[in-house]
Structures are given as structure tokens and as C-alpha cells.
Amino acid sequence: MVTFTRRRLAAVALVATTALLGATACGGGDDEAAAGGPVTLTVDVFGQFGYEELYKEYMAGHPDVKIVERGTGSNLDEYSPKLTQWLAAGKGAGDIVAIEEGLLVEYKANPQNFVNLLDHGAADLKGNFLDWKWNQGLTADGKQLIGLGTDVGGMAMCYRKDLFAKAGLPTDREAVSKLWPTWADYIRVGEQFKAKNTGASFLDAATNTFNTILLQTAGNTTGYSYYDTSDKLVVDSNPAVRQAYDTTMDIIDSGLSGRYGSWSEEWVSAFKQSKFATIACPAWMTGVIEGNAGAGAKGNWDIAQVPGNGGNWGGSFLAVPKQGRHQAEAIELAKFLTSAKGQIGAFKAKGPLPSSPQALADPAIVESTNAYFSAAPVGKIFAEGAKSLKPVYMGPKNQAVRTEVENAVRTVELGKRSPEQGWTDAVENAKKAAAK
Amino acid sequence: MAVQLDARPPVAPAPGTTRPSRGARLSRFDTRYSPYLYIAPFFLLFGVFGVYPLAYTFWVSLHDWDLLGVEHPYVGFDNYRQLLADPDFWHSVVNTLGIFVISTVPQLLLALWLANLLNRQLRARTTWRMAVLIPNVTSTAAVAIVFAVLFGRDFGMVNWLLDHVGVEAVDWKANRFASWVAISAMVDWRWTGYNALIFLAAMQAIPRDLYESAAIDGAGRARQFWSITVPLLKPTIIFAVIISTIGGLQLFTEPRLFNSGTNAIRGGPLRESQTVTMYMFENAFAPHYNFGYGSAIAWLLFALIAVVAAVNVLLLRRLGGGARKEEIR
């Protein structure tokens, strides 16, 4: 064995001390602002928010601000536990964080984690947002504004023209929209498609379609889905839920689903290998489709109207956590990103539909087309219905409950449960999840 | 040690004082207390990073602790009571034990066999020995993602190969036993070589003359292996089993990344491959954010590992009862 000489010991001690000091120094935080250097603002997002160009523009106008975005492309399941941990730990969250509407209800229950934007002049911005979008960002007592709205999830149906042609169906978007005024028609078209054996399924996954139908049905009838407006769990008594479930069962029963678990690697592969012909697409999904299917499929995709009548799935908010060091700068940036101009920029980059009426009316949106989707007039398709979107109320444990119901749909889709067993599971597990 | 090395004659004590000299006192202090100082850093670090989190987790598990909430009311052992009656928890325990058994048993046998092969006269011996460690060096996440693709339902290579030999495609992720097998394959691929090297090191400590006399007595290779190598390897095997138990029961990355997409933490729609650590994560973090409940799961997992490790050691001890005498001789 090597004996430790004094010098060597000293060296080891030095290394150890430096390591320890280094570790503590990490907690020390940055004093860039004090030093006169630029302030670094971190923006945490998931999926595709399309802010890159906006950052560049903002930084050009604010030389003292540097913007770093984290989490682009990550899915909500990866993002939300991280955000919650950061908030719980009081450290680690970005200066601005994106929050999806389904999760906002949980964060709203603990508003002390966020800056009250009403204290920073946000009240003047009320007119820049659709009323319900603005109200969603407020706490129950209306005294604190947690987040400023980014996008809303106006609904359409994206489809593959090449596969439709192969199955002898019309490919023109007007004609396709006429094929399916209702979900029953959608199933009928699906059966025609299936009969032609194109080697592809009619749709990607029943869970996606289920969400679309549920939020559409709920928006058109009760205005709430799993929870009623007094936060009582109504998964088994809300007719909208049961109706959406039954329609989805019909789709599964007709064997139209490719059974690719949404957001899984197989789902992404299925996009690349053209394994399904349609996917329910909220506006933000167009960015996801382009990302997954890749440049090779450009021009094969197109967008038609969604069966049923409109609907709204998803949409996010930007919030400023209280733990941030540069709150004032962060609030300014959040205001910029959610301004009509910011929302138009994001829409052009990645397709999330604005929640600002000014942006929705802007020619830049109304007249916009999407080259990837065969130059579909996305502005017209999505923006037209956006102003009349009916919001769906979401209760405190919405995400956990939704997960259980989606899972039940998935078990039926995979043939592991009968539709009735699946429903029993959904209700039972949803109750359990809500109680946790 | 305080050994006087210089050869000067001892100095006569100063008259009128019986107190030991400063140097002698220092050296006695040194002998008595220094060793504690030397081992202190480990225990300090262990205290900070080991004992404290353990105790804190227990403290949390006694509360109704919403991760984001401000109030954390004390609920005593409610979380534990609820957990013991939670079928999903027991389901995850069965999954974990199932995956543990079908991965660890073949893994250790394979490692033993591999070590035995590597212990022979081979050309480029070191290269072969290092080569078995390569899978262990690769990142778990990368391995899990590659295997998840291999075991895909529609586009996976394993199903493609099975198709060639006329076996119908298996839905690896939605079938409980199939998902266990796929995950075990990942674990085995990664850890077999590692265990083989540990066994190999122990094998090289076995005196050659034992084999020589056995050969003279007419024992074949197989007989030598079972009657000399395996019994003398017993302590190492116990070590490997305990390490594998701890690792196996804490399995997280492989099954988590094997399942992808919405709510992958659940390990499939019917929790086909959800391990205890995944269940813990599901409860402590998304989508339930129930930190108290998650902490209770962590503690029960701790207890489970202790029990399984103890059972393993007892079993191995008993199996080794006959061999220990040989070892002494």
C-alpha cells in the first residue's frame, strides 16, 4: 500500500475542502445584476411554445436581459413533477414557468408560491385575453392572478392526404370536413378506410380522441368534466363523461385505433412510419405532429374540421414563481410573451392558438397558412371558432382523475377489459385518486 | 503509533513535577482519539446524507403532506395503515419481487459460469475480462431506451425475430409477465458482467493445489466446480446476492424508461411493470403529490429490502452448512 505523505494529505484535504466549498457556492446564487452584467431569465416550458424568435427580439430591445429556455419538447408528465418539486423546495424553478390549464387548478390551491401579477399592473391587461382565459388565471377568491394566458386548444382533425387517397376517400379539406359532421359519421368513414387495408389504422390512440370528445361534449353541455363547479367529483354522474366514454368505446369496437399509447416512443414511430390516418388536433398539436412526423411527411398532412362541434383541449399560462431572483424583469418578459404580438409570434412558429382576441382578429393570424399541412389556412380553421370556445371547468385533482379515466380507456383499447369493466375501473380509480 | 524512534537517552524529569510532559500527553491523546477523527468524515457524511434523510422521510410519513401545501397536519400511522390495505401497493411489491427473482437468479448463475470460463487459461485474458464489464459502463437510461425499442409491439426487433420463427407478436408492455421478462433482460445485460468480475476475483484466491489434488483424485471439471469453487465462493456469493437484492428491489430506471408516453410511471395501463419505487414516485410526485404517503412507501420498501436480504442470507448459510467445514480445513 502507498503511504500517505504529509504533502499528499494536504493535497487531499485541499481538494476535499474545495469540493465542499464548491458545493455550497452553488447555493450562493448569481449576483450578475449587482455586478452590472445582464440579468439571466430562465423560462421553463414543455412541448413547443415557439418563443425562440420572440426571445431574440426581446433581448435586442433589452440588452441587459439574457433569456434561457429549458424543457422544450419534454412532455407534461416529465415537466409537472419537476416544477412541483422546485416549488416545494423553494428553489430551482425558472423565473417564468409555463403551466398547463389542467394543472393550474392544483397550483392555484397554493397561490403563495407565485407572484400576484395583479400587484404588478396586470389588471390593465385584462382586455388582452378572452374573458374565460383571464378568469382561469385568477384564484378562487379572485384576489390573485397566478398566470397570464398563452394559448387555447381550439380543435380540428388532422389527417393524412396520402393515406386517404390510398383508401379512395376525398383528400380536399372541405370535402373531408363534410364527411364527418358527427362522431358517428367519423366512425363510418373510419370503417370505409379500414376496409381498404392501407396498412395504416384510422386513428392513433383512443385516449387522444376520448379527451377531444369529452372536452367538446362537456363544453357544449355542462361546462365541467370530472368535477362540477363546486369541486365535487362527478365522474360517474356527469352525462358528458359517460357519453364521451361510450362514443370512444364505439371507435374502439370498430377496430379503428392503432393503439399507440399517446406520447410513447411507439406513437412517435407510428407518426414517422405513417401508421395512422387521422389524429384529433388541438391547435398546439400541429407543432407536435410536425416534430414527430418529420420534414419527410411535409405536404402529406392536412387539417379538416373536427367532428361534433368545436371544443377546447389544453392551453397554458405563464406564471412567475416567488422564488425567482429577478421578478420585476420576469414579469415584464411574461407580459411581452403573452401580449397579442407575442402570441402571434408563437402561433407562427409552432401553432399554439392565441388567447388574445386582438391576436385572433389580426390578419397575421386570420390569413396565415401552414406550409407543413399542405398550406392549410390554419388561421381561419382555428381562429374562427376560438372566440366562441366554451371553457371546461376543472377541479382540484383533475390531472390525477383524468389519468385514471384515460388509463381505463387504454385497457379497453388493448383488449384487457370490457367496456363495462373499464367504466367500473375508471369510476373506482378516479374516486380513489381524488381522495389521495 | 507513538513509537520513539530517535536514540537519545531519556531526559530526566524535571525535579518537583510529576505531570507528564506536553509531548507525552499529546501523543497519548493522539493514540486514543485520532482514529475516531480519521473515520469521522465517513460518519459525518453518512449522517448528513444517510441518517438525516431517513429520519426526515419517517417524519414526513407521519403527516398528511401535500407537496405544495403550507399545512402538514400530523396523522400518526394513518399512511401506513392505508398503505397496507392498498392493493396497488401490493401489486407493485409482487411486480418488484417477480422481476427481482427472474432477473437475479439467472444473472448470478450466468455470472458464476462466466467467471469460471474467464478463470481458465485464455489468450488476451485481461481483454476478455474487461469486456464483460462494458455493459455495466453504459448508461442505464441509454440501455433502457434501446431495450424499450427492441421490445416494441409493432416496430420492435424482438417481435420481428419471433415472427421469423413463427411465434405471434407479444405485446411486451401490456402483458405482465412479458414485461417482467423484458425488464429482467435489461437488468441481466447490465449486471451479469459486473458480478462475474467479482466472482472471478474471489475464484483467483482459491488455492490451485485444491484443484490439483481433486484432479488426482479423479474429479472432473464439473465436479471441481461444484465441490471446490462454489463452496469456497460462498461469502462472495452472499455479498453479490445482498447487493443484487438492494439493487433489484429498488429497480426504477429500467422499468420507468421501458414504459413511455402518458403516465409512464404507472408501468402500463394495469400497472403491469410498476415497481415499488415507481409507485412511490407516482404517489409522492405526479400525479398525486402526496408526499406523506410516498414517504411511507419508502419506509416499507426499506423494511422489505431488509427482510429479503436477511432471508437470502439465511438460505445461503443453510445451503452452505456442509461446505463451511471444508473451508476451515
Side-chain angles (χ1 to χ4, degrees):
Chain A
M1 241 186 87
V2 187
T3 46
F4 270 60
T5 64
R6 189 163 289 197
R7 183 183 292 178
R8 196 156 174 168
L9 263 179
V12 170
L14 186 72
V15 170
T17 331
T18 339
L20 275 174
L21 283 178
T24 43
C26 292
D30 47 335
D31 297 312
E32 303 149 326
V39 169
T40 303
L41 295 178
T42 308
V43 183
D44 286 329
V45 300
F46 53 88
Q48 305 285 351
F49 273 66
Y51 284 160
E52 287 73 16
E53 290 302 317
L54 294 167
Y55 294 148
K56 276 184 205 154
E57 190 187 328
Y58 191 81
M59 283 191 277
H62 298 75
D64 53 336
V65 173
K66 198 174 150 245
I67 305 170
V68 181
E69 185 177 276
R70 297 188 298 194
T72 320
S74 73
N75 75 40
L76 201 53
D77 272 4
E78 293 163 24
Y79 172 79
S80 80
K82 266 196 276 181
L83 176 58
T84 309
Q85 286 167 39
W86 289 328
L87 293 176
K91 184 168 273 200
D95 296 282
I96 294 180
V97 297
I99 301 178
E100 206 267 340
E101 65 171 18
L103 288 162
L104 186 69
V105 279
E106 284 184 45
Y107 294 122
K108 272 205 298 201
N110 296 287
Q112 76 284 354
N113 289 311
F114 299 98
V115 169
N116 184 358
L117 297 169
L118 291 178
D119 296 343
H120 296 87
D124 303 340
L125 304 173
K126 190 170 186 293
N128 293 350
F129 300 90
L130 295 170
D131 275 345
W132 59 269
K133 187 76 180 177
W134 173 264
N135 290 335
Q136 275 185 338
L138 289 170
T139 48
D141 60 7
K143 287 190 181 137
Q144 180 170 344
L145 185 72
I146 305 270
L148 290 167
T150 58
D151 61 318
V152 295
M155 220 90 79
M157 182 65 79
C158 295
Y159 67 99
R160 286 197 65 128
K161 283 197 302 191
D162 52 340
L163 291 174
F164 267 50
K166 219 168 157 186
L169 293 166
T171 57
D172 175 66
R173 64 183 78 91
E174 300 286 333
V176 170
S177 299
K178 285 205 185 91
L179 285 178
W180 51 51
T182 68
W183 287 101
D185 297 320
Y186 176 77
I187 294 174
R188 196 175 36 73
V189 176
E191 279 166 346
Q192 287 170 23
F193 180 88
K194 196 182 159 204
K196 292 283 162 52
N197 284 325
T198 55
S201 309
F202 190 54
L203 60 121
D204 60 329
T207 45
N208 269 344
T209 316
F210 170 73
N211 270 320
T212 304
I213 304 175
L214 172 63
L215 291 165
Q216 180 182 71
T217 317
N220 290 340
T221 56
T222 49
Y224 52 80
S225 57
Y226 302 123
Y227 284 89
D228 68 12
T229 44
S230 58
D231 286 343
K232 188 173 156 272
L233 187 71
V234 290
V235 59
D236 51 346
S237 59
N238 183 354
V241 179
R242 182 70 211 218
Q243 197 187 323
Y245 185 84
D246 287 342
T247 309
T248 311
M249 291 305 121
D250 291 342
I251 293 174
I252 292 173
D253 196 42
S254 310
L256 301 183
S257 168
R259 305 180 298 147
Y260 304 105
S262 1
W263 305 96
S264 69
E265 273 142 33
E266 301 228 306
W267 191 63
V268 175
S269 306
F271 269 107
K272 290 209 166 70
Q273 312 203 7
S274 353
K275 285 292 183 184
F276 58 84
T278 65
I279 178 171
C281 59
W284 47 263
M285 188 70 95
T286 55
V288 176
I289 294 172
E290 187 175 345
N292 284 344
K298 186 177 173 180
N300 286 339
W301 282 93
D302 208 330
I303 309 176
Q305 267 162 19
V306 71
N309 183 17
N312 176 44
W313 174 8
S316 299
F317 295 81
L318 293 186
V320 177
K322 255 199 191 134
Q323 57 183 260
R325 262 166 225 290
H326 311 297
Q327 289 173 13
E329 290 89 345
I331 292 165
E332 280 317 301
L333 177 60
K335 282 181 184 169
F336 169 73
L337 292 174
T338 55
S339 67
K341 186 172 175 237
Q343 296 195 13
I344 292 170
F347 176 82
K348 284 191 158 170
K350 297 287 175 188
L353 187 63
S355 61
S356 150
Q358 289 83 349
L360 285 169
D362 196 287
I365 298 268
V366 180
E367 286 158 20
S368 71
T369 55
N370 188 327
Y372 190 84
F373 289 85
S374 315
V378 277
K380 194 160 155 278
I381 295 172
F382 287 113
E384 251 179 15
K387 281 185 224 165
S388 58
L389 277 187
K390 293 177 194 98
V392 174
Y393 178 80
M394 285 170 190
K397 288 265 180 180
N398 181 71
Q399 188 69 11
V401 171
R402 173 186 150 185
T403 299
E404 294 299 343
V405 181
E406 265 182 29
N407 255 301
V409 170
R410 180 106 181 109
T411 55
V412 182
E413 180 179 31
L414 291 172
K416 307 198 144 259
R417 287 279 187 272
S418 72
E420 266 323 297
Q421 282 170 326
W423 178 253
T424 317
D425 277 6
V427 172
E428 251 172 41
N429 293 338
K431 283 182 178 163
K432 232 171 91 181
K436 261 185 185 167
Chain B
M1 281 210 284
V3 181
Q4 187 125 20
L5 289 175
D6 51 357
R8 274 179 294 169
V11 182
T17 170
T18 49
R19 285 176 62 198
S21 74
R22 203 181 136 87
R25 264 188 299 134
L26 254 179
S27 107
R28 215 177 54 219
F29 178 85
D30 184 35
T31 328
R32 196 174 286 173
Y33 299 110
S34 295
Y36 296 103
L37 206 66
Y38 296 148
I39 56 166
F42 170 77
F43 287 97
L44 273 178
L45 286 175
F46 179 70
V48 173
F49 295 106
V51 177
Y52 172 70
L54 215 61
Y56 186 70
T57 307
F58 184 66
W59 169 246
V60 171
S61 75
L62 301 178
H63 294 76
D64 180 8
W65 194 299
D66 183 328
L67 196 54
L68 282 177
V70 195
E71 305 268 304
H72 307 304
Y74 180 83
V75 293
F77 284 90
D78 263 11
N79 281 326
Y80 291 92
R81 260 192 294 276
Q82 211 183 324
L83 191 53
L84 290 175
D86 182 348
D88 290 337
F89 170 69
W90 292 110
H91 184 94
S92 73
V93 170
V94 172
N95 280 348
T96 311
L97 292 176
I99 295 171
F100 166 65
V101 170
I102 60 176
S103 68
T104 309
V105 174
Q107 182 193 140
L108 292 182
L109 290 177
L110 204 66
L112 208 55
W113 175 69
L114 208 60
N116 195 42
L117 290 184
L118 289 171
N119 201 20
R120 295 183 187 174
Q121 293 299 331
L122 291 171
R123 213 168 290 175
R125 213 161 36 174
T126 318
T127 314
W128 291 112
R129 287 175 182 177
M130 293 327 290
V132 298
L133 199 64
I134 288 175
N136 194 251
V137 182
T138 47
S139 112
T140 322
V143 173
I145 289 168
V146 170
F147 272 73
V149 173
L150 289 181
F151 283 101
R153 183 191 67 198
D154 291 336
F155 316 117
M157 202 149 96
V158 176
N159 274 351
W160 177 75
L161 286 174
L162 286 179
D163 188 49
H164 274 265
V165 292
V167 180
E168 228 175 272
V170 179
D171 192 345
W172 294 97
K173 281 158 200 176
N175 176 313
R176 198 174 183 194
F177 188 69
S179 66
W180 291 3
V181 171
I183 292 165
S184 299
M186 262 183 253
V187 177
D188 287 344
W189 188 79
R190 227 171 108 74
W191 291 101
T192 306
Y194 171 84
N195 283 316
L197 281 196
I198 291 180
F199 288 149
L200 177 64
M203 274 178 194
Q204 292 188 328
I206 301 174
R208 293 273 142 199
D209 48 358
L210 280 180
Y211 292 103
E212 278 161 26
S213 25
I216 292 167
D217 288 347
R221 272 225 154 112
R223 183 68 208 266
Q224 286 179 20
F225 178 72
W226 289 111
S227 301
I228 301 174
T229 313
V230 172
L232 290 185
L233 235 48
K234 201 119 288 173
T236 315
I237 295 178
I238 292 180
F239 168 78
V241 166
I242 291 178
I243 295 294
S244 312
T245 310
I246 296 171
L249 295 184
Q250 291 183 341
L251 203 62
F252 180 80
T253 315
E254 285 93 344
R256 165 60 189 79
L257 290 174
F258 179 68
N259 295 287
S260 60
T262 310
N263 207 21
I265 198 72
R266 211 185 159 99
L270 288 174
R271 304 178 188 275
E272 284 86 354
S273 51
Q274 187 177 43
T275 59
V276 179
T277 39
M278 286 164 82
Y279 191 59
M280 173 174 81
F281 193 92
E282 185 191 346
N283 281 284
F285 303 113
H288 297 301
Y289 302 114
N290 191 335
F291 215 36
Y293 201 64
S295 301
I297 300 173
W299 262 86
L300 281 193
L301 176 63
F302 180 68
L304 183 74
I305 291 174
V307 169
V308 175
V311 168
N312 278 336
V313 171
L314 284 179
L315 276 177
L316 280 172
R317 277 253 175 85
R318 279 186 64 175
L319 289 177
R324 291 179 77 80
K325 281 178 221 130
E326 282 175 49
E327 202 178 328
I328 293 158
R329 195 183 48 168

